[in-house]
Each structure stands twice: as C-alpha cells, then as structure tokens.
Amino acid sequence: MGEPAPHDLLSVRSWLDEALVGLRTIEEPAPSLELARTFLSLALKAVYEGCRDGVDHPTVVAARKRAEEFTREALEGLQANPIDDDAMDQELRLIARALSALSDPSLGPPAPGLAIPHGRERPPLMAGTNLPRLHDPARQALYPTIPLAERDAVVLPEVDPDAPPPFEVPAIHTLEELLAYAASVEGGVAEPAPPSEPPRVAPRPDPLKAAEIVLFGAAIPEQRLVYERARVHFEDIAMFSLLRKGDHGDIWHQLEPVERRLNARVDSILAHGVELIPRLIQLLEDRPVPDPELLWAAVFLLGCIDGDDTRDQILRLVQIAPLDDEEHFEPLADVLTLVPHWGVERFARQWLGSPDPHRVALGLRVLGMRRATVVETALPFLSHDHPRVVEEAARALERVSGELREDDLRIALRHDDPVIFAAALETAIVRGFRGAVLEAEYRLKRGANLPHAALMLALTSDEKELDLVFALAATDPSPMVFETLGWLGQTSIVPFLLGRLRDGDVAAVRALQRLTGASLTKDITVRLYPAEDRPFQRDHFVEPPHELVLSDDADVWEAHWERWGAPAREDRRYRFGHEWTTRDDYWEMAEGYAADRERRLAYLELCARSGGSLPFDPHAWVAWQRPQLEAWRDYLGPHHARAPRGLWTSRLTR
C-alpha cells in the first residue's frame, strides 16, 4: 500500500513539522542541517500562509508554489551531503513525501482555516499588568523554527601547558629574518617580498564626527539595537520566572511587581515586532548547558500571542524537550499552567493519548492545574503502568471537577511507590477522605519509613497518632521529620529538638521556630514580651517576628525555652508560641513570610482541621490567589471558630 494522499495543506504541514523537529535526531554532524532548517522553516511559513482562515485562491497557489520550492531546496541540500544514519533516512522520506504532495496543483487550504492574523488592522497593543494578556497583533505568520542540538565538530587535543615547545624558535625582529626562518622550516628558498605600494593618503576625517565617536562611541545599527533590547528582555523573562517563586524571605503579594515586570517584557518584545521571536528561540542552542528557564521564557512569550501558528511553535518546543528530565518537566508544566493561550488545553488533552508516558503525565499536570478536565477523564490513568502517569493522575484528581469517591483513590493509596502514595494522600485530604489518613497510620505502624506520611499525619490526625510521629523521629531524624515535629505542635518534643540541635542537626531550628515563634538570631538572643503577649500564656494570635537567618546555637534556644516554656501544656497544640487556631494557617497562606511549600502545607492543614475544601494554588499568579484567599477568609469567619483552639481535631469524615 502506498502513502495516504493528503487532504489539504494542513496534512503537508504535519509532515514538514515532523521533518523540522526530526533534524535534532540526526546524530552524525552534517553541515547541511542549518540550511535544511532554514528551507523547512520557509516552507512551513508558506504553508501557514496558505492555510489561514479566509485566504483567497491566488494566495493559496502562490503559497503552495513557494512551499514546494523551499521543500525541494531542503531535500537537495540534505541529499548533497549523504550520511549513513537512520534518522537522516527518515528525514529524506518525510521531505520527499511533502514535496510530492505539494506538486499537486489541486491541493488546497483546510476548511475551516487556521487562526493566523495576517496584517489586519488592529487596535494598539494592550499592555499586560498583573496578569498576562493574550495579544493579537497585526502580523504575518510566525516563522517556524527549532533550536538545533549542540554539535562540537572540532575535537581539541589535550595540551600540557607546562610542556616545552616541540622546536626552538629564534628571535625574529625583521621581515627578512621571518622569510629566512620560513625558508629554513619549509626546506625551500623563500621568494623576496613584492615591493609594497606607497601608502594611500586617507581623506581627512570630519572633526565633528570624530569627536562624536570619541565621546559617544560608534553608532549601532538600529536593527542590531532592537534585537539586543529584545534579547535582554527575553532573558529577563527567564530570570523573572525564578524570582516569582517565593521563599522564606517573601510575602506572596510582594512578588506582584516581579510579575508585572515579567508581563511588561512580553509587551516590549511584541512592540518591537513578532519577527524577532524566531531569533530569540534559537538562543536556546547557544547555551553551553541546557537552560530550562530560557525554555520557560520561549513558551511563555509564544503563549501570550493568539494564533494556531504560535500554538504549533509551543508544541515544537515541548516535543524537543527531554520530559524525562525533572529540570525540564517542571518548568514546562509551570509555564503551560500560566499562559493565557486557548490552545494549551486542547493539545494537553491530545497528549493523554500519547505513547510517551512523560507527555501523558505533562498533559495530566497541565489540565489538573488549569482545572480544565473532569474526574472521569483523569481516573483511568490511576491504572497506568508508568508511575509518573499514576502520580500526576492522583494529583490532578484534587482539582478537577466532578464527584470523586474514596474508593476511586484506593489503587493509588495502596501503591508501593511512596511518591504516588504521597500524591494520593494530599488529594484525599483536600477531598475530605479520612481513610487515606488511616492508610498512612497503618503503614507507619508496620514500620514503613515514610516521612511524608508522618507529615500528613501531623497536619490532619488527632492525638492518637502522635506516638507514630515520635517513633519515626527517634529512628530517622531527617529534615522532613524535624519539619513534621514543628507542624505537630506538641511541646513535649522540645527537649528532643534541643538535643538534636546540640548534636549538629540544624534542621531542628525550623521546628523550634514553628513551636515557639521566638525568631532568635545571632544578634537577638533574648526575646522580651509584654504581659499579655507572653508565649504559651496568651490566648490570641501574635505574628512571629520575621528573621531570615535564625540562630543555630542550642544554648540560645534552650535559654528561651527555660524562660518561657514552663506554662506549655502537653495536651495542647501550639503554633508560634500560642495555642493553634485556623488563624495561624490563614496567616501563613495570606499574610506571613512563607515559601510556596509552607503555604501548601498550611492549606492542607486548613482543609483537614476546618472541613473546608476551597481551592488554593500558591504557584498561581498573585491576582488569581487574591480571590481564593478572600473566599477562605469568608469561610473561616472573623473568630476562626471552624476548629477548636489548641487541639488536634480532624474534620476528615467522608
């Protein structure tokens, strides 16, 4: 059977697209790859122009002819430098297939056509502010491209810098001495140098222009200046993608200026012209090591431009990314959650049918974080044979719409993989399922080393499970276990923490801080309080002083505990030096200095202790988080009476 005939130009586009991306799979160095990329990109651009919605027949014919010409150039260029490589053979077959189809004069555009702006009149660009805007600028079809893989064609020899030179070189001071030495080395007679022409007298420079060059430097061409400005802003986007993630020194809403600057960089690049974007994307191949943040910037920039061609360019970048590498998977999942492009959810659903498990996992993550699918779609993937897919399905079920039963999560809650169990456990907590906590308790009783399960018990269980956490702390005092002891709120563990800190376990400091709220530092070793605010005696919330670097001196913390810790009761749960209430969790989510991880843990605790299941995404845009936190504030009420003060009461009842 022969190849299926293409229905329209859109079928040819898929073949050319596959050929363009496939250039990266050619392992043997081929000097024609850059040229082939150029011609394939030009052919694809011509196909896009012939596929756009509302195109007339003469434009289709002209676009098809240009695409045919460029495709032929790409094929001939690769055939001129043949190499024995399976990937090259596949490339040649794809390009030949596309060329054969383009030679058919009856090949027309798809119906309906692609959504690609084509120089139409548009209003001025609207600037993004605290949220990214989906821009629709007047433009031609985007020039498709990919960054080629790095290739080192020249292998440099190893040279010992201390080794003597292989031969002696005499001192040379004149041209005649140089010619004589060259003749002796080559074994021949050097020809005398031709007589030099008399030097030409240069025209006298304009003194005004000469002074300008001395004062201000040579003028930079405008095109170069525009590109350099766009490049700097493109790299700024990559940097801001990291800066918008809070840490212990940030309050979440203080990061809004970073997000505003990030969106302003997109506006600036688009104001200079969409034509610069392909050159910016190709910066990915100039990096000495993979740059996931720059990949984040490329996808984000494309995700802020309306059109099917920008959607396809995002797909190309995802296709060439090593999704099995966590350093690439996480930034891609993050940026695809945040961009406003309508095409993201469409191709994320298509990824669910991919044979690549990592692409399936990425699709589940994106659809879950965007809350763009339903329980019935994600649930079957809990039975997938790849653990990463099962993990992402369990995480997605926390956010997707639809009724989820506790029995539906059973397969993930009983999974041997601790990462899958952790994901299912968090989903069960948000959904209000008590059985997941019982499963964690059962595993710990059987001696399983599951610090994350112990942490979830500290956030959700009643006092009956406290001994399980203490037992794990005695046998495996890891940093997560110390973190667990802080969230647990049981002050009888303070002597143990002080002892571990004295033995050099500095992770105990964070647990002591969460229990006492003392915020002791190298310079502030003593805290004094008014009578109504004394630790472990006050009956109201007091915000702990903010200090970035806490003291790791056990004597300092022990002195504070001896001075203020006597009133603490073992049957009460404490947070920051007072009895815990939901006010503590809400403060950490909405008002306090806290990293995204701590805000997520406070959210899980709030779900379990208050019985609420309102959404909250600490990784989302600041403007998205505000209404979520306002909903939680209204739900908890001004008196925070949804859970009893100072107790380990759980509201997980389903």
Side-chain angles (χ1 to χ4, degrees):
M1 295 180 62
E3 298 287 356
H7 299 292
D8 48 43
L9 280 172
L10 203 58
S11 302
V12 180
R13 184 208 63 81
S14 65
W15 299 336
L16 291 174
D17 220 342
E18 187 177 352
L20 178 62
V21 174
L23 291 175
R24 288 177 57 93
T25 64
I26 299 176
E27 297 181 356
E28 295 293 332
S32 57
L33 289 184
E34 286 78 5
L35 196 60
R37 175 178 65 179
T38 299
F39 283 122
L40 287 174
S41 296
L42 288 170
L44 264 171
K45 187 174 187 295
V47 169
Y48 275 119
E49 291 170 353
C51 287
R52 66 183 178 86
D53 193 25
V55 67
D56 54 28
H57 182 69
T59 303
V60 174
V61 173
R64 182 184 58 78
K65 288 183 177 180
R66 288 198 308 274
E68 180 183 0
E69 178 184 349
F70 292 135
T71 304
R72 180 176 288 107
E73 292 286 351
L75 182 62
E76 292 175 354
L78 290 176
Q79 289 175 335
N81 297 275
I83 60 175
D84 186 13
D85 185 82
D86 292 339
M88 176 66 85
D89 294 340
Q90 175 66 11
E91 280 293 296
L92 295 176
R93 283 193 294 268
L94 280 170
I95 298 174
R97 184 180 179 186
L99 181 60
S100 175
L102 287 168
S103 62
D104 181 2
S106 65
L107 197 67
L114 297 179
I116 301 174
H118 196 78
R120 296 192 296 255
E121 290 293 332
R122 302 275 180 195
L125 283 174
M126 300 298 292
T129 53
N130 52 358
L131 284 176
R133 180 182 293 274
L134 186 61
H135 296 282
D136 191 14
R139 62 182 179 87
Q140 301 293 323
L142 186 71
Y143 180 85
T145 189
I146 58 163
L148 291 176
E150 298 80 5
R151 292 176 173 82
D152 295 326
V154 179
V155 179
L156 298 178
E158 295 184 2
V159 178
D160 184 1
D162 300 324
F167 50 85
E168 189 70 24
V169 179
I172 296 175
H173 302 285
T174 64
L175 177 61
E176 290 75 12
E177 292 176 352
L178 176 62
L179 293 173
Y181 175 71
S184 66
V185 171
E186 297 176 0
V189 179
E191 297 182 1
S196 59
E197 297 182 1
R200 298 180 180 180
V201 179
R204 185 178 182 84
D206 184 348
L208 183 58
K209 291 184 178 179
E212 288 180 351
I213 293 175
V214 171
L215 291 175
F216 307 112
I220 301 174
E222 183 178 358
Q223 289 183 341
R224 180 67 181 178
L225 187 64
V226 169
Y227 168 72
E228 287 299 326
R229 185 173 298 167
R231 180 187 61 80
V232 170
H233 288 178
F234 183 61
E235 293 173 346
D236 284 347
I237 294 174
M239 176 185 66
F240 289 141
S241 74
L242 294 177
L243 293 180
R244 66 173 295 272
K245 299 177 181 178
D247 58 20
H248 295 289
D250 297 308
I251 299 179
W252 63 279
H253 57 78
Q254 293 178 344
L255 298 172
E256 192 167 30
V258 175
E259 297 179 351
R260 286 177 175 270
R261 292 173 184 173
L262 190 157
N263 291 316
R265 297 302 188 270
V266 174
D267 301 339
S268 173
I269 293 173
L270 295 185
H272 286 114
V274 177
E275 298 77 16
L276 293 170
I277 293 178
R279 293 182 64 188
L280 298 177
I281 293 173
Q282 290 178 6
L283 289 174
L284 287 165
E285 70 187 33
D286 298 333
R287 291 300 193 260
V289 294
D291 193 338
E293 286 73 38
L294 205 65
L295 178 62
W296 193 103
V299 173
F300 185 78
L301 179 59
L302 292 164
C304 292
I305 307 172
D306 193 13
D308 284 312
D309 52 346
T310 53
R311 176 205 61 192
D312 293 343
Q313 185 61 54
I314 294 174
L315 282 171
R316 293 183 196 103
L317 295 178
V318 174
Q319 189 170 348
I320 65 176
L323 296 180
D324 56 339
D325 179 9
E326 200 72 9
E327 291 186 358
H328 283 82
F329 184 96
E330 290 298 332
L332 277 174
D334 179 57
V335 68
L336 291 174
T337 301
L338 298 173
V339 293
H341 203 294
W342 47 264
V344 170
E345 294 169 12
R346 184 180 302 176
F347 59 64
R349 293 189 183 96
Q350 295 173 354
W351 289 340
L352 299 184
S354 170
D356 180 3
H358 298 285
R359 191 160 299 171
V360 177
L362 182 61
L364 286 167
R365 171 77 72 85
V366 171
L367 291 173
M369 294 299 294
R370 294 175 75 101
R371 304 179 188 272
T373 188
V374 295
V375 168
E376 291 76 14
T377 299
L379 199 57
F381 292 97
L382 291 181
S383 302
H384 200 277
D385 56 359
H386 196 281
R388 186 59 189 266
V389 175
V390 181
E391 175 197 348
E392 294 301 337
R395 294 191 188 282
L397 286 169
E398 174 191 325
R399 295 176 171 84
V400 299
S401 59
E403 185 66 26
L404 181 69
R405 300 172 304 165
E406 187 168 6
D407 287 344
D408 296 333
L409 278 176
R410 189 82 57 195
I411 186 173
L413 289 171
R414 293 181 176 176
H415 205 285
D416 293 334
D417 190 323
V419 178
I420 294 175
F421 175 65
L425 184 55
E426 292 188 15
T427 294
I429 291 171
V430 176
R431 291 278 185 168
F433 298 147
R434 175 68 178 169
V437 179
L438 298 177
E439 177 67 24
E441 178 186 349
Y442 172 72
R443 292 193 181 200
L444 290 173
K445 282 182 178 178
R446 295 186 61 186
N449 186 4
L450 295 173
H452 182 272
L455 177 57
M456 294 301 105
L457 280 184
L459 298 178
T460 63
S461 65
D462 53 34
E463 62 270 21
K464 293 184 294 184
E465 285 84 21
L466 299 183
D467 291 341
L468 294 174
V469 180
F470 294 156
L472 185 61
T475 57
D476 180 35
S478 64
M480 184 177 287
V481 172
F482 286 127
E483 182 182 28
T484 299
L485 295 175
W487 286 93
L488 190 63
Q490 172 65 271
T491 55
S492 62
I493 203 67
V494 169
F496 171 79
L497 292 173
L498 291 172
R500 300 303 305 188
L501 180 58
R502 198 174 298 280
D503 292 339
D505 286 328
V506 295
V509 171
R510 282 290 168 188
L512 289 168
Q513 169 66 9
R514 188 166 292 280
L515 284 165
T516 65
S519 304
L520 302 175
T521 68
K522 181 180 179 181
D523 299 322
I524 305 174
T525 58
V526 176
R527 288 284 180 188
L528 300 178
Y529 303 90
E532 65 276 10
D533 290 343
R534 288 177 181 174
F536 307 106
Q537 300 180 48
R538 58 183 181 245
D539 59 357
H540 56 277
F541 172 83
V542 173
E543 179 179 330
H546 174 61
E547 299 291 346
L548 272 178
V549 182
L550 299 175
S551 172
D552 58 1
D553 187 344
D555 292 335
V556 171
W557 288 96
E558 186 171 17
H560 179 86
W561 177 249
E562 289 178 351
R563 181 167 187 170
W564 302 109
R569 296 167 49 182
E570 293 189 5
D571 62 341
R572 308 299 287 182
R573 188 168 189 245
Y574 291 94
R575 183 71 50 86
F576 303 128
H578 49 257
E579 292 184 356
W580 171 88
T581 68
T582 57
R583 177 74 175 88
D584 295 285
D585 291 316
Y586 182 79
W587 172 82
E588 220 160 346
M589 290 165 56
E591 302 169 15
Y593 290 87
D596 287 349
R597 170 180 167 76
E598 292 171 325
R599 301 178 70 213
R600 166 72 176 175
L601 293 176
Y603 168 65
L604 293 174
E605 184 173 55
L606 206 53
C607 290
R609 303 296 182 188
S610 72
S613 59
L614 302 174
F616 174 64
D617 298 314
H619 303 291
W621 298 109
V622 169
W624 290 353
Q625 294 184 52
R626 283 200 172 95
Q628 293 179 340
L629 289 168
E630 289 172 1
W632 269 108
R633 182 192 61 200
D634 295 340
Y635 172 78
L636 295 172
H639 302 294
H640 289 270
R642 291 276 181 177
R645 172 187 297 272
L647 297 178
W648 289 268
T649 304
S650 175
R651 301 295 189 189
L652 300 177
T653 57
R654 298 178 62 185

